[in-house]
Amino acid sequence: MSTDERLIYLPLGGAGEIGMNAYVYGYGKPGKERLILVDLGVAFPDMDSTPGVDLIMPDISWLRERVDQLEAIFITHGHEDHIGAVSHLYSQLNVPVYARAFTANLARRKMEERGHDPLVVKTVGAWPEVTKLGPFTVGFAPMAHSIPESAGLVIDSPDGRVVHTGDFKLDRTPLVGEAFDPEMWAEIAKPGIKALICDSTNVFSKTPGRSESDLPDEITRLIGEAKGMVAATTFASNVARVKTLADAGTRAGRSVVLLGRAMLRMVEAAKETGVLKNFPTVYSPEEAKDMPRNNLMLITTGSQGERRAASAQMARGKYRGLELKEGDLFLFSSKTIPGNERGVIRIINQFSERGVDVVDDSSGLYHVSGHANGPDLEALHDLLQPAMLVPMHGEHRHLRQHARLGEAKGIPSIVAVNGMMLNLSGNRPSVLEYIDTGRTYLDGSIKIGAMDGVIRDRIRMALNGHLVVTLILDEEDEPLGEPWCDIKGLTDNGSSNAALTEVLEEDLNQFLMRAGAKTLKDDDKLEGELRRIARQSCQNEIGKKPEVTVVISRMR
Amino acid sequence: MSTDERLIYLPLGGAGEIGMNAYVYGYGKPGKERLILVDLGVAFPDMDSTPGVDLIMPDISWLRERVDQLEAIFITHGHEDHIGAVSHLYSQLNVPVYARAFTANLARRKMEERGHDPLVVKTVGAWPEVTKLGPFTVGFAPMAHSIPESAGLVIDSPDGRVVHTGDFKLDRTPLVGEAFDPEMWAEIAKPGIKALICDSTNVFSKTPGRSESDLPDEITRLIGEAKGMVAATTFASNVARVKTLADAGTRAGRSVVLLGRAMLRMVEAAKETGVLKNFPTVYSPEEAKDMPRNNLMLITTGSQGERRAASAQMARGKYRGLELKEGDLFLFSSKTIPGNERGVIRIINQFSERGVDVVDDSSGLYHVSGHANGPDLEALHDLLQPAMLVPMHGEHRHLRQHARLGEAKGIPSIVAVNGMMLNLSGNRPSVLEYIDTGRTYLDGSIKIGAMDGVIRDRIRMALNGHLVVTLILDEEDEPLGEPWCDIKGLTDNGSSNAALTEVLEEDLNQFLMRAGAKTLKDDDKLEGELRRIARQSCQNEIGKKPEVTVVISRMR
């Protein structure tokens, strides 16, 4: 082994944000490292910064240029921010995808949907089973989380053992799936952990995290006391919670109905892979319509207020023939992710208008987080005693706070955001170089770059409205008739109480009558002048400068 | 007094939402009531539903059509959601505006800014001073809130006494401004309260509200322990908080600097009206530049993450030459209003990247709410013992919960949302009729209706992008050349890897070559066909159907 071989870490997504996880590890001589990719997830668009976009994915240009160095993709668990981009970006990478059975089941469905061979997704067993690829030996060590079969990756390289936690919590009684197993992790730590790459989501939560098993009693009590129809929402992938809700409904003599495509798919995948056992009988919405309303327990998608999900549809009216009414109960067994408040509050108010009683998580009785809190992170640091700590899966503030926890314990720690390539070979993490990273948007059926101006133009049209100016010039470059204006997203009438387009056309025509031959012959100049005058005219009339498209047609 | 005279209540804004308050009271024969308006506020736009809009105001069409019945406008306090629309809508109403001195000071500044006579704003003293107008006698009874001189209105009519609380909390030690005075309110209640129209904002908070005086010790301790520069943000109108922050800075030997126009204006108004006394010396940013960094205490606008406010500018870099660095402290002495989370989190992360330590309200030590919590509302019900309760200033869920509190105590209560006209003359509130209400947007310099389609078009362009199709037809209605396409907010290249506009032009040209004379002669039909084909072609190429503007020019 040459001394200049090195172990590198490069986050392409997920470090400096919550979402869109993608972490590269490499081992080898500089520039010749053999690479593996851990997770390839998506983030979700919003109207503020990404209107019209369908999905946000990491920009994997760096990896694509080194695809011959790439051994494989390893997926820690089945949440969209870890698995969601695999099927969209697979054709650029073309390497095997490794995951545990439940995660692999989800990944294969996605691959099939996008027309890829589902068999490129390989199912691997839990630690101590390992997969050897190039210089790496990778094992999936079970971690408790809010989805079944989450795994921390144990990545062995010639430079030592790295633990990449994935998303986790220290739940000893997670109800569905494996408990956090400190003995197993102590065993894994025995040879020494070179570096711990660690989930930072809940680093600001100062009390130890609670267990999924804290919930069934309270949820059962709440549903047991309900008089009318009951509906509850949670993330479909939180199979343990879905089961808790279903069991609580069954105990109250209610028939369970699953609403929303994701809910049905997740329960199906969990049953197929043996993760979910003893789930109550599920009835269809059609069957439910013949049952007494107070004998029903609906479990729905849409805990984040998504407009098209089952919860939002029920809040607006019927969903598959089922409708909540005065005195019914709707439970959010979920936390609202920051940024989704408006959508969730909208649903609560719509239910309020229908007389439906909404119970949310404000009491803390009906939801627990899937991530390790501050004290839990410290407990893991203590258990694994890593030689260095690299916080991941967090915004900058989370990474910074997490690194502080590490430093306070004497563990060399670093805040590494997307694009910072680290050398993990030394005694403490050091920055090797800064890689250009970014975001790729799935927009309709096309992938576009975040910085290519398409979305910027959409935002500008949303803020300023849009004006089209059309002008035809004859063979002598003289205007043929007057310029024509069309508006969209602008008011019809401005301050002078005439039609806005008429005022604009008048102002543009005035300009054209004065314009010299040189201007009229020059497309760029003419377009620039027409745009400038139109914007100024709008400013005068309506106090706004719109986006302008100028179309000049010449007869010559 | 004829028996068919009646006392009516009609919310035009603020009932079913938090913001945009506007409540009408009337007394007289049906349709002939003499009217007063309580508050005329704004709501703030967001990218999701109101892109490009500057302010949201209540639609006052109903009132405008009855302006000869309107006696006056009464403003309970100076928050934008109560005062903000007065200067924008004044010219439609043209009646005197009554307010207490501090509120009137703010209102006059706004009237002057919009070119109105500031003297239409009349300053009135606190209860027991009253203003008699038509059948009404109105007094401003001091209430504690998060702005000085908030008042509950005591509205006497021939049918009895109504109390309209405005925004309030039961703070006995508010530091600046008047304490809640239970003796005064008991006195006001002695003749009997016909109806209590009551703030509902914090009805879901289950513990009694805390006092402004709970904060100075903790804030002083935090700032006393700070090593570097300190900046803190709160609502500028929370003059008591601004003073607490300034005092804490002074006690720590720091010089106070106010940043942001609103901050300077509010402190000035509070000093002018005698509300604020003993405020520390304020230094300008220019003076501050010559002082040691660790001797500075900056108090800034922008507690809600507003992009253009001082806080956001400091998070991105310098503001007026002042810059926060590694080891400095930034304090949010404020709560994030639901919907503003993204902006606030952005600032926290930007400061984190600069190494600035951000302290927010998660500990509860550095902020208290300005609104009465659930138990406080019940205490006010008990104190005033109203014959009926009409919750206001809340979303539907708040109004409903508040009405439940009332009903549980045996007080006839009703959920009345914007547009529901109530009769308060009977033994319990009853609905008289439903008035069309809505929202008016200030968009640039123009007021537009919420439902007139302008904003809908902007949202569609933001989601779908925009395509302009230009076609010229000759004297025989034959296409002169090929159609021309311009795109905005759409990707240049689609799935066939040619320029999107070329593919579109090709598809449109194919259609034109096949099109019959009948279609080519008919503008509407031709436009419809071109739009349909362009959208389908886009769907094939990029998986999106854009908004389309078709411009057909004819030579004939």
Side-chain angles (χ1 to χ4, degrees), chain B residues 260-288:
Chain B
R261 212 168 64 100
M263 195 58 76
L264 292 159
R265 196 177 55 209
M266 278 291 169
V267 169
E268 190 180 272
K271 285 180 182 168
E272 274 179 22
T273 51
V275 163
L276 182 59
K277 299 183 184 80
N278 307 318
F279 197 78
T281 308
V282 174
Y283 296 89
S284 72
E286 290 66 37
E287 291 169 312

Side-chain angles (χ1 to χ4, degrees), chain A residues 258-304:
Chain A
L258 302 181
L259 298 178
R261 211 168 64 99
M263 195 59 76
L264 292 159
R265 195 178 56 211
M266 277 293 169
V267 169
E268 188 181 275
K271 284 179 183 170
E272 273 179 23
T273 51
V275 162
L276 182 59
K277 298 183 186 80
N278 307 318
F279 196 78
T281 308
V282 174
Y283 296 89
S284 72
E286 290 65 38
E287 291 169 311
K289 271 181 277 186
D290 298 329
M291 297 178 184
R293 307 181 80 258
N294 57 356
N295 283 3
L296 291 177
M297 172 74 204
L298 317 180
I299 306 176
T300 72
T301 54
S303 66
Q304 298 304 309

Side-chain angles (χ1 to χ4, degrees), chain A residues 244-262:
Chain A
T244 294
L245 293 168
D247 286 345
T250 306
R251 237 168 270 150
R254 291 168 181 271
S255 299
V256 173
V257 183
L258 302 181
L259 298 178
R261 211 168 64 99

Side-chain angles (χ1 to χ4, degrees), chain B residues 145-147 169 171-176 209-217 219 234 238-245 333 365-370:
Chain B
H145 185 43
S146 49
I147 187 171
K169 62 185 293 191
D171 199 334
R172 306 290 295 264
T173 49
L175 301 184
V176 170
R210 294 181 300 143
S211 169
E212 190 67 32
S213 65
D214 289 1
L215 302 179
D217 286 355
I219 290 176
T234 190
N238 194 337
V239 174
R241 189 71 50 80
V242 175
K243 182 159 192 299
T244 294
L245 293 168
S333 182
L365 298 175
Y366 309 114
H367 177 68
V368 294
S369 170

Side-chain angles (χ1 to χ4, degrees), chain A residues 46 342 352 357 396 404 466, chain B residues 342 352 357 396 404 466:
Chain A
D46 61 58
R342 281 178 205 266
S352 178
D357 294 320
H396 194 281
R404 283 183 166 188
H466 190 205
Chain B
R342 283 177 203 266
S352 178
D357 294 321
H396 195 282
R404 283 182 165 187
H466 190 206

Side-chain angles (χ1 to χ4, degrees), chain B residues 424-438:
Chain B
L424 303 181
S425 290
N427 292 323
R428 49 183 310 133
S430 61
V431 180
L432 284 169
E433 55 177 314
Y434 294 87
I435 307 299
D436 277 341
T437 57

Side-chain angles (χ1 to χ4, degrees), chain B residues 429-505:
Chain B
S430 61
V431 180
L432 284 169
E433 55 177 314
Y434 294 87
I435 307 299
D436 277 341
T437 57
R439 297 168 163 227
T440 299
Y441 299 150
L442 180 70
D443 187 58
S445 56
I446 301 293
K447 295 185 193 78
I448 61 179
M451 305 304 283
D452 72 1
V454 170
I455 303 304
R456 179 202 61 204
D457 282 352
R458 284 191 204 156
I459 292 171
R460 286 183 180 168
M461 287 193 289
L463 294 175
N464 307 323
H466 190 206
L467 166 68
V468 181
V469 178
T470 314
L471 176 66
I472 305 175
L473 296 156
D474 66 15
E475 291 82 348
E476 273 78 48
D477 294 319
E478 286 292 324
L480 198 61
E482 299 189 355
W484 181 262
C485 290
D486 287 275
I487 53 175
K488 212 181 261 299
L490 294 168
T491 185
D492 287 338
N493 288 289
S495 56
S496 62
N497 272 323
L500 175 61
T501 50
E502 282 178 22
V503 175
L504 291 172
E505 287 162 7

Side-chain angles (χ1 to χ4, degrees), chain A residues 137 285 365 448 547:
Chain A
T137 304
L365 298 176
I448 61 179
E547 301 306 296

